[in-house]
Every structure is written in C-alpha cells, then in structure tokens.
Amino acid sequence: MQATTVSIPFAKVVLLCLLACLPIRGAGRTIAYGDPPRSPRPGEDWRGARRVALAHWGGAGFAINLSSREESRIAHNTLYAAGEYADSAWDGSVSNCVAGTTASTFKELTLLRVNYFRAMAGVPSTVVLENTFNSKNQAAALIMAANDMLSHTPSAEWHCYTAAGQEAAGNSNLALGSSGPDAISGYIQDDGANNYPVGHRRWVLYPQTRLMGTGDIPPSATCWGANANWILDGHFFDPRPATRDGFVAWPPPGFVPYPIVFPRWSLSYGDADFSGATVSMSEGGVPLAIVVEPIETGMGENTLVWYPAAFDPTSASGWPRPAADTTYAVAISNVLVGGKPTSFSYSVTVYDPQVAGPDTQWATVTGPNPAALNQPNLYSITPLPRATGFQWLCGRPWALNVVEGAESGLGGFTARTSPDYDLLVTVPSYAGTFYRLAHPAPTDQILTYQRLLLPGAGAQVSFRSRLTLATSGQQAKVQISPDEGLSWRDVYAQAGTNDVEGVGELDFVNRTVSLASFAGRPILLRFNYQVDPNRAYYVNTDVDAGWHFDNVKFTDTQELRNPVTAPANADLTFSFGPLETGDYVLCARAQYFNRYYSEWGAVSRVNAKNLPVPTLEISGPPRLEGGQTIVEFQVTNYRSTLVFDLMRATNPGGPWQADSQAALEVVSANTRFRLSSPSTAPGPVFLRVRAR
C-alpha cells in the first residue's frame, strides 16, 4: 500500500492494510461469447426438430414504431426493463452435475428480451421457446459452467458431459459469465476480438427463426454462470419473411436507447454481396472515422460490420450516455443484391430513455375536489396513444420524518443480496452500526426502501456513505423507480478507483442527492452496489469492506401510506369513495402491450369532506323540439364539480350508454338544468340523467 500523509488511527491502518490484500476475482477477465454456430448446408440432417411456430403475443408478435421517440422509450422502459434483475430460481448444482431448471417466468423474460430486440430490428417478434430445446440447452449451459470454457463440440472428457448438452452446444449461441436476458443483450453487443462478424447478433435477429431454446446457470461466488441459446430451429431455408426496413440493421433506423447501442454497427441483407461495399457515418452532419470489419459469411444473413474508430469493439464498454439526443447518418453503397449495385441510407438517433422527450405524456387524473365522504366520486383519466389500459392509485400523504439507521435492523429496507455476508455491521473504528453491501459474487446487491415516496419541489435524500476498496467495475448507486420497480434510474453513482491498490474512502462522507426532478410523482428508492461482470471486482466479505451507508433521511418528501391500486374502467373512469376525512392523492399510469405498466403521472391532491348527497329529479317527461330530445331536471345539494350525462337504453334494464352528443344548458344557476341531444331513430328509448 502506498504511503500517505493522512493521519489515521492505528486500528484503521491495520484494517485497511488487510483490505488492500483482498483478492480480486476475475482480474483481466471478461464475459465470453464463443464463436457462433455456422449455417447449415442444404440437405443437412437437422438435429433440431422442424416445427411450426406457436402463437405469441396474441399470434401477431408486437411492433415498435422507431420513428416515435416516446414509443421507443416506452418499449425500452417496459419490455426491456422487465428482464433486468430477473430471478432465475435455478434449482441445479454445478458441483454435483445437476442441470436443474429455471423458473418459467425467467424463461419468459429471456424470450421477451429476444423478441424485443427482433421487434426493434424490424423482424418478426413471434419467436417461441421449444421445451425440448430448453432442456438440452440447460445441459449445455451446465457443461460450459462446470468446465469454465466454451465449445460447440464438447467431448465426453468434459466434466458434467451429456449427449444432450453436446447436441445443444452445436446448435446454440453460447455465453460464459452471463445468463438469461443479460446473455441475449450480450449476443447483440457481440464484443470481443473473435466476434468481429457479429455472428451471435445475426442469429438472434435472423428473420426466418421461429423457435429458440434457453438454458441458464446463474453466476455465483463459485461459478461464472452460462447461457446456451438454441438458434438452429430447422427453418433456416424457409422463405424470408417481410421485414420493416428490407435490410436488418443494428442499431436500427430511428430512435434507439443508448444502453442497447454498441460499438459494432451492422447491416444484414439476405444473400447480398458486401465485398465491394463502402460505408460512411456522420454525427450531426460531421463525418466520423470508421473501421470496417472483415466480411465473413456462413452465420445467419450476410452482414457488413463497422465501428467508429474512437471505440474499442473488443472491450465490453457500451455506448456513452448522450447529453442530448444525437443523430447519426449511415450511407452504404456498392452492395450487390441479385447482381445489381444497391445503396442504403438511414439515420439513427441515440437518446437517453431515462429522459422524457418532447412527445412524452403521462396520465393525469381529473375530477371533484373536495371529494364527498362515503360517496362514489367519479374521476377521469386522460387518454394516451398506444395505451392498452390504465391503472389508478390512491394514497394518504404523510410527512416523512424518519431517519433510517441500522441500529434497529433493516428498518424500512428489504434486501436482495447474496447470503454470504452480514448486511448490518459494526466496525470498532467507527461509531454505531451501519448498512453494508458487498460482492461475494458478480451480482448486484440491493436494499430497496419499501415506502412509496412523493417528492416535493425541493426533495432530497441524504445519507452517510463510505465506499471502501472497490474497482472501477463496482459502483455505489442510489436509484429511483417511477413505475413501482419495473425500471430504475440512477440519481447518484460513485465508482471505485482501486483497480490496483489503495484503500478507498477512509471515513464516512455526507452525501445529498436531489429528487426534485420527480416532484409530484410517486417513486420507489433503492441502494444498489452494482458490479460489472465483465470487469474485475474485489470479493469484499470482510466487515470493513464494501459500501457502507447510514442515517438515510429525506427532506421535502412525503410518504404515501396505505396505497391502493386498481384498474380503471374501459371508459377511462374510476370511482373513489373515501372512508375518512382528510387529504388524499390520486394518480394514474398507462398500461402497454396489455401487460406492462409505465410511469405514474403527476398526482392530483383531493380533500375528502362530509358533503351532503346531491339528488336529481326529472322535471316532467322528455320532449321533442326542433329535432332535439330535451330532458330538464333539478338538483338538490349542487356541487360545482358535478358532471351530468344523458344516458340511453333500449329497455329499462340497460345496458345504459352515455350520449356523447348531449349538450348541457343552465336554466337556473345551481338548481335547474337542461340536456338536449339530436333525436334518435324510431323505436323505444329510455332516458335517465347521471351525475358524477
């Protein structure tokens, strides 16, 4: 350890010297993606069964309109985010050569990641998992994990060898150190010196593919984990289906979130000849120096690959977070398609999906304030394009005055951590007990705050923090979620600096993080000690190692107590009947793809009071005048927030429907009103008036 002039108590010096000797796991090692499988030859005896694809997502897959920034953002923050931090629930054992299985939800999320990338690329997103492939892929993943190596042709001498695993290895993409949805993202990135033809990407995006399989061994303290992704499904020689752009590019034309943009760019086009092709790329109209990778066929569709010279495609580094939306123009010429020179040109706009765009809209709630106690109060939700449903939330706002320290246990936190270390520690060199997150395995360590928070305009979270020995691949993060945990956004990040030697922070540092950008919207918050499995990291299990934090407190932030959520009615309304007087908040969020909910919109504050019940009385029978049906009525206990609807039915028992053409006229302020609507076709019609 290098000498320092800082005065440190002797006990601390001893502990820190010990920390400097902690082992670094995986130093110089990255997640490995072996060479991709080769394309079959015509007439080859297929080892994978040829089947007709099953229906998925209602039989039609799903499409993502990349000309819309918001639609692309919604898809990323729902479909892609659904697979983040997915729990495999694997029940096998590498040491005992038990392949086991993973949870069905984990497989579904892995498949969703596949179809998300395919929808983004504009190829059919109707791939389904074949159970036989899954089973054999699980055996293949076990072989790779047990031997800490990758091969499409493992021999019988390999530990945990099975014939089923060998068969799957020859038909699959293979990854070591990654599993599930993360492995699928790794195949699309295709980093590493050996992956210059982006063969794994080409297989995931191959238009003809209908069936896949997945086998997964999760990373642990003793195992790097593995994935086997079956891609040779017997449909290689099928006619090419229609694709959105004709070609298949990654990143594709349109708005693309930066986390899924990688150094290697590619364009695939059936049997195109790219041997004489030229490619140019510009950023905001400024030409970029690029490097074209050697062309290699025999993996999916023929493909041209290039990268901006400023990037290193052999590393696992991704695309940097853009400060603003950035557009890149691509032009490719002299491609031979059917023997004819062909050109391609398109633009890609890289953006930050955590940042709302000019076309972003959130659901809002309108309705009466005050709300009548013990009465149904009808509220409406603003319609949003592409939404397939809505959900509303009700909660009681309360001042949040607690300080979350570790002396009383986890307090308001719940843990998603490895079981190999203590989360609450006391170090003699420091006063009191504090929270600690560490990395005995290359998986994120998370403490999630269970209170639903409502930040104000000056909202902050403050805490005492100490990041000890940590590499640059380990980051202490505070993250928030505006969609109840589906997606998470960084509001504070601190990377380690001790890649070679050092001790990290010697003392606790007071940190303050603003939450003001989420003012008026319900959020969750968590502390995440994140690790990059592509990078070296310290196996921090000593009590004085890892990320320590304490005294978590909030300013200008309320807690939403007793939150209740429910689906909205088909007409985008809901009824709220408070049982106690006082303040409430109401808000709504949209559902997309018939399954995933997006961010909560801004809350509407409502005060519940004991108000008299309004009553309505029809003033005589309806009448016809000038082609109009007219209904007059009077109201007792009128409230200015009341909305009146003319309801129609063909029989007294209903169903009743609101007349959208009805117009309201005030006859006498606050007491008498008239509703008129164009006359209906001949036949019996029953009318009534609804107040809401």
Side-chain angles (χ1 to χ4, degrees), residues 200-426:
H200 303 93
R201 176 188 299 176
R202 291 152 70 169
W203 282 125
V204 174
L205 302 181
Y206 189 64
Q208 286 91 320
T209 299
R210 301 184 183 187
L211 303 172
M212 287 190 182
T214 185
D216 298 279
I217 308 296
S220 68
T222 58
C223 173
W224 272 84
N227 169 267
N229 163 224
W230 195 299
I231 44 84
L232 297 179
D233 68 339
H235 292 277
F236 181 82
F237 295 105
D238 286 4
R240 189 179 193 266
T243 62
R244 182 187 59 221
D245 305 310
F247 56 86
V248 178
W250 196 267
F255 287 95
V256 185
Y258 84 91
I260 58 172
V261 178
F262 307 110
R264 285 186 172 120
W265 291 44
S266 64
L267 184 141
S268 304
Y269 195 97
D271 296 328
D273 181 356
F274 292 104
S275 60
T278 60
V279 57
S280 63
M281 185 173 175
S282 62
E283 177 185 345
V286 179
L288 296 176
I290 63 169
V291 178
V292 179
E293 298 276 27
I295 294 171
E296 188 170 336
T297 60
M299 294 162 284
E301 294 195 313
N302 292 348
T303 299
L304 179 69
V305 184
W306 70 96
Y307 62 90
F311 288 84
D312 177 9
T314 67
S315 77
S317 300
W319 204 265
R321 183 193 301 266
D325 296 4
T326 306
T327 298
Y328 300 87
V330 175
I332 301 171
S333 59
N334 202 34
V335 180
L336 296 181
V337 179
K340 298 180 179 180
T342 306
S343 298
F344 305 93
S345 62
Y346 58 94
S347 295
V348 178
T349 300
V350 181
Y351 71 96
D352 185 352
Q354 296 185 7
V355 177
D359 56 347
T360 297
Q361 296 175 279
W362 292 296
T364 58
V365 172
T366 58
N369 184 27
L373 188 69
N374 294 315
Q375 298 179 41
N377 301 269
L378 195 65
Y379 292 83
S380 299
I381 301 171
T382 54
L384 294 178
R386 301 174 294 275
T388 56
F390 287 87
Q391 191 178 58
W392 63 280
L393 177 146
C394 166
R396 304 293 305 270
W398 294 85
L400 186 61
N401 297 319
V402 300
V403 178
E404 296 290 352
E407 283 74 16
S408 56
L410 287 179
F413 291 99
T414 59
R416 181 172 180 171
T417 57
S418 300
D420 310 282
Y421 67 99
D422 295 326
L423 300 178
L424 308 173
V425 296
T426 301

Side-chain angles (χ1 to χ4, degrees), residues 14 31 65 81 93 213 250 254 258 277 319 377 399 428 441 455 509 563 623 630 644 648 668 675:
V14 173
I31 292 174
N65 177 17
S93 169
W250 196 267
Y258 84 91
W319 204 265
N377 301 269
V509 179
R623 64 183 189 272
I630 298 175
F644 302 107
R648 293 179 178 269
S668 180
L675 282 166

Side-chain angles (χ1 to χ4, degrees), residues 2 40 82 129 141 151 165-166 182 244 272 303 348 411 433 471 503 568 647 680:
Q2 294 179 336
L129 294 178
S151 173
Q166 183 193 51
D182 291 341
R244 182 187 59 221
T303 299
V348 178
T433 303
T471 71
V503 297
M647 310 296 293
T680 61

Side-chain angles (χ1 to χ4, degrees), residues 22-32 148 176-177 219-225 316 439-443 471-474 498-499 531-540:
L22 285 173
I24 300 179
R25 184 173 182 84
R29 175 170 182 174
T30 63
I31 292 174
D148 201 22
L176 189 65
S220 68
T222 58
C223 173
W224 272 84
H439 287 137
T443 56
T471 71
S472 56
Q474 296 171 283
N498 311 120
D499 288 322
V531 61
D532 183 350
N534 285 293
R535 309 273 298 274
Y537 69 100
Y538 286 99
V539 186
N540 291 342

Side-chain angles (χ1 to χ4, degrees), residues 135 196 227 295 308 313 352 359 430 446 578 610 664:
S135 177
Y196 62 89
N227 169 267
I295 294 171
D352 185 352
D359 56 347
Y430 301 95
I446 298 171
N610 195 358
L664 180 70

Side-chain angles (χ1 to χ4, degrees), residues 22-23 70 93 125 149 153 163 169 171 180 239 289 408 415 445 634 649 672:
L22 285 173
E70 183 63 7
S93 169
S125 60
M149 290 189 298
T153 57
N171 286 278
S408 56
Q445 306 292 301
Q634 59 186 21
R672 295 185 63 197

